[in-house]
Amino acid sequence: MDLETLLSFKWGLMAPEFTIVITATLLSLIDLFMDNKKSRNILGWIGIAGIVIALVFLIGQIGQEPADILFGTYIFDPFAVVFKFIFLVGTAFVFLLAMNYNPEDKIRHRGEFFYLFMTALLGAMFMASSADLITLFIGLELLSISSYILAGMRKDNLQSNEAAMKYIINGAISTAFILFGFSYIYGITGTTNIFEIGMRTANLASSDLLNLAALAFIISFVGLSFKIAVVPYQMWAPDVYQGSPTPVTAFLSVVSKTAGFVIIIRLFLTAFHSAPGLNVDDYNLLWSIKPLLGVIAVLTMIVGNTIALRQKNIKRLFAYSSIAHAGYLLVPFLSLSPLWLEGIWFYLVAYLLMNLGMFAILQVVTVKMGSDDISSFSGLYKRAPIAAVMMAIFLLSLAGIPGTAGFIGKLNIFIGALGPITAMGPFPGHIVLVSIMMATTVISYFYYFGVMKQMFMVAPVDENEPVRIKLPSGVMVVVALCVIGTILFGIAPNLALDFFYSVMGM
């Protein structure tokens, strides 16, 4: 590539990514020359400043025409913009949590703690704009490798070491499946460009090639199933969530999971949506594979919610809760109704607010009490009434109670799945799927309300002299913003959806 060609690219499209790269580099250099005894929280503030600047660039890009650079491997379009907002806002909140995270076993290399979040964020953002299998994989691995290291940042903690080991082993298995699936896709179509793959799979006529395309889809989806932690590939999630530092757990549950769903949307619904079905009556290839996806979604909802009932460790409980929510998010992929994309996006926004807010309070309580057991929340209303009420709001939203963003998110999925698929009405399988989703949602009430029972109805363990809990200012900002968003989008969801429609040009 000559210099003239290099300079001809519209590099301004990557302004948010360049901002994150520069900020990550700056953080690593400052950390290198700082005195070891000085607080690294200044790095957190610099990181937040970099994220805010990236958000400003991203807002400035709204309304621009879709374009691509680097020979079609990087694409700028409304889809990338709306999901980058989730990545940036979610990571900014995680930075505020990280600056106020002080466990008994101190994190030695705290500077790395901050700039590894930036590199993970960069990988997620690159995935949202990737239009090629190669760049998509690079973004995925940048996110994954950063996450492996972050999970093991508490070097003197055996659970953290175990979490990092299990995460990297499962991540390696996931990577092997993804690459194997990608090799089949390339072998069938002869290209790595996602949009060209979509055009070439649409013209597949041979039944043998269609079967290979279905196999490529299944193998790649299995690899990505590890990333979003759906059954039966969820084994790593409870241990990793429990052993990782709480800000890392929050990041994995929101930003990393969102990135997993972004890659599924970007790749499969572009590359395989127009491919012919395996049977004459099937609309497309995705319709042919729908029974497999339906089984995975059902098992994920059932396993996530039922095993959560038995958990005593609060982080493991919310790990299984996260697995269950991944099952809910698979339902729109089965219905592919006219509301499917906004339904997924709104649910991920709601999930960001309620999950990060919940983890912010969880972080303070567990560090203060020195335990991750659910009993550490006993009598929280007497220790910190405001924090208890805010935690209750997040739990109600996670449970899908009306008046919260979580309820609207689930309602959108219900409506989308039950919408008319054919002239005869909803597909019968969708009714079964939604019924199971409703039943498992009711099951989730038991463990969400179990935490609320601990907070409001159980006396503190140290009842005579209960430990007072105060939320640090940074954590309070995260919790307050998440509460406002959870209630506001629960009462007026059109505020979020109007933003989505305006960016998407719908």
Side-chain angles (χ1 to χ4, degrees):
M1 184 188 303
D2 56 42
L3 182 61
E4 184 179 354
T5 304
L6 192 64
L7 295 175
S8 67
F9 292 135
K10 298 179 181 178
W11 293 110
L13 299 177
M14 296 184 69
E17 285 84 351
F18 282 133
T19 302
I20 299 302
V21 170
I22 293 170
T23 305
T25 305
L26 186 63
L27 291 181
S28 62
L29 292 174
I30 293 174
D31 178 54
L32 181 64
F33 293 104
M34 276 184 73
D35 190 321
N36 290 334
K37 296 180 180 178
K38 288 188 177 181
S39 171
R40 260 45 181 184
N41 277 0
I42 183 63
L43 301 180
W45 289 115
I46 295 173
I48 291 175
I51 292 173
V52 170
I53 294 171
L55 274 170
V56 171
F57 280 126
L58 194 62
I59 292 171
Q61 291 177 337
I62 294 176
Q64 293 186 23
E65 291 295 321
D68 63 83
I69 58 175
L70 297 173
F71 305 106
T73 58
Y74 177 96
I75 185 169
F76 167 82
D77 59 3
F79 173 86
V81 172
V82 293
F83 282 101
K84 286 178 186 178
F85 267 101
I86 296 179
F87 297 146
L88 289 167
V89 173
T91 307
F93 284 174
V94 169
F95 261 73
L96 289 172
L97 299 188
M99 286 190 290
N100 292 278
Y101 182 64
N102 296 295
E104 291 184 3
D105 50 330
K106 301 293 183 182
I107 295 177
R108 294 182 195 173
H109 307 288
R110 202 170 183 85
E112 296 177 7
F113 198 45
F114 292 112
Y115 56 75
L116 282 170
F117 277 126
M118 299 300 285
T119 55
L121 169 63
L122 178 64
M125 294 175 68
F126 210 68
M127 287 163 61
S129 285
S130 291
D132 191 274
L133 296 181
I134 297 173
T135 52
L136 198 64
F137 181 75
I138 291 172
L140 178 63
E141 286 306 291
L142 181 57
L143 169 64
S144 299
I145 294 172
S146 301
S147 300
Y148 303 152
I149 304 171
L150 285 168
M153 285 301 292
R154 296 168 63 186
K155 299 183 186 298
D156 297 326
N157 185 288
L158 291 178
Q159 287 187 344
S160 184
N161 296 335
E162 180 184 354
M165 181 190 71
K166 290 184 176 179
Y167 197 11
I168 195 169
I169 290 173
N170 280 278
I173 296 171
S174 168
T175 298
F177 273 101
I178 292 171
L179 285 177
F180 190 40
F182 283 5
S183 68
Y184 268 79
I185 295 172
Y186 176 74
I188 295 168
T189 60
T191 181
T192 57
N193 184 278
I194 296 173
F195 293 93
E196 289 185 14
I197 290 171
M199 290 187 288
R200 296 185 186 185
T201 55
N203 296 321
L204 292 178
S206 169
S207 59
D208 291 337
L209 289 178
L210 282 174
N211 288 329
L212 283 176
L215 181 62
F217 176 94
I218 293 170
I219 294 173
S220 302
F221 185 81
V222 166
L224 293 170
S225 295
F226 282 93
K227 302 297 183 184
I228 60 176
V230 297
V231 174
Y233 315 108
Q234 86 296 348
M235 305 82 66
W236 61 271
D239 291 326
V240 173
Y241 278 43
Q242 179 181 353
S244 300
T246 304
V248 178
T249 304
F251 182 87
L252 295 178
S253 70
V254 174
V255 178
S256 183
K257 186 179 288 290
T258 300
F261 279 102
V262 165
I263 193 174
I264 291 173
I265 298 170
R266 173 70 84 182
L267 174 60
F268 293 133
L269 295 179
T270 302
F272 293 99
H273 188 265
S274 299
L278 297 177
N279 302 310
V280 177
D281 297 331
D282 294 339
Y283 296 130
N284 54 28
L285 184 61
L286 296 179
W287 188 270
S288 302
I289 306 173
K290 181 179 288 192
L292 173 63
L293 299 182
V295 169
I296 293 175
V298 168
L299 289 176
T300 302
M301 291 185 283
I302 293 174
V303 170
N305 283 305
T306 53
I307 298 183
L309 295 170
R310 304 285 297 173
Q311 301 305 309
K312 299 300 181 185
N313 183 286
I314 192 73
K315 291 174 78 173
R316 290 185 73 88
L317 184 150
F318 286 110
Y320 283 106
S321 166
S322 178
I323 292 168
H325 284 277
Y328 302 151
L329 281 162
L330 282 180
V331 175
F333 288 94
L334 296 164
S335 61
L336 290 180
S337 70
L339 302 174
W340 74 273
L341 184 56
E342 53 261 54
I344 292 174
W345 182 83
F346 185 91
Y347 198 96
L348 288 169
V349 170
Y351 189 69
L352 180 152
L353 295 170
M354 55 196 181
N355 224 43
L356 284 182
M358 180 272 301
F359 271 113
I361 297 173
L362 184 151
Q363 171 180 298
V364 176
V365 173
T366 54
V367 170
K368 186 72 174 178
M369 300 302 296
S371 171
D372 290 344
D373 196 89
I374 293 179
S375 60
S376 61
F377 281 81
S378 62
L380 183 63
Y381 184 70
K382 294 182 180 179
R383 305 170 188 272
I386 295 177
V389 171
M390 289 179 167
M391 183 74 168
I393 292 172
F394 298 134
L395 290 169
L396 291 173
S397 186
L398 285 164
I401 300 301
T404 63
F407 169 75
I408 300 297
K410 285 192 172 87
L411 183 64
N412 287 338
I413 292 177
F414 290 155
I415 294 174
L418 294 177
I421 305 301
T422 66
M424 299 177 63
F427 185 68
H430 296 172
I431 299 174
V432 174
L433 197 62
V434 169
S435 300
I436 294 172
M437 184 177 176
M438 294 176 67
T440 53
T441 297
V442 172
I443 292 174
S444 72
Y445 294 170
F446 288 91
Y447 59 85
Y448 288 136
F449 292 164
V451 178
M452 292 179 64
K453 177 184 175 183
Q454 289 286 332
M455 294 192 299
F456 293 97
M457 302 176 68
V458 177
V461 177
D462 49 349
E463 189 172 2
N464 294 330
E465 295 183 12
V467 177
R468 299 295 175 184
I469 295 174
K470 183 179 179 181
L471 300 182
S473 56
V475 174
M476 180 57 79
V477 169
V478 173
V479 173
L481 290 175
C482 289
V483 165
I484 292 171
T486 298
I487 296 174
L488 187 63
F489 294 155
I491 297 172
N494 58 295
L495 294 176
L497 291 172
D498 286 347
F499 170 78
F500 176 86
Y501 294 138
S502 64
V503 174
M504 296 294 291
M506 299 172 68

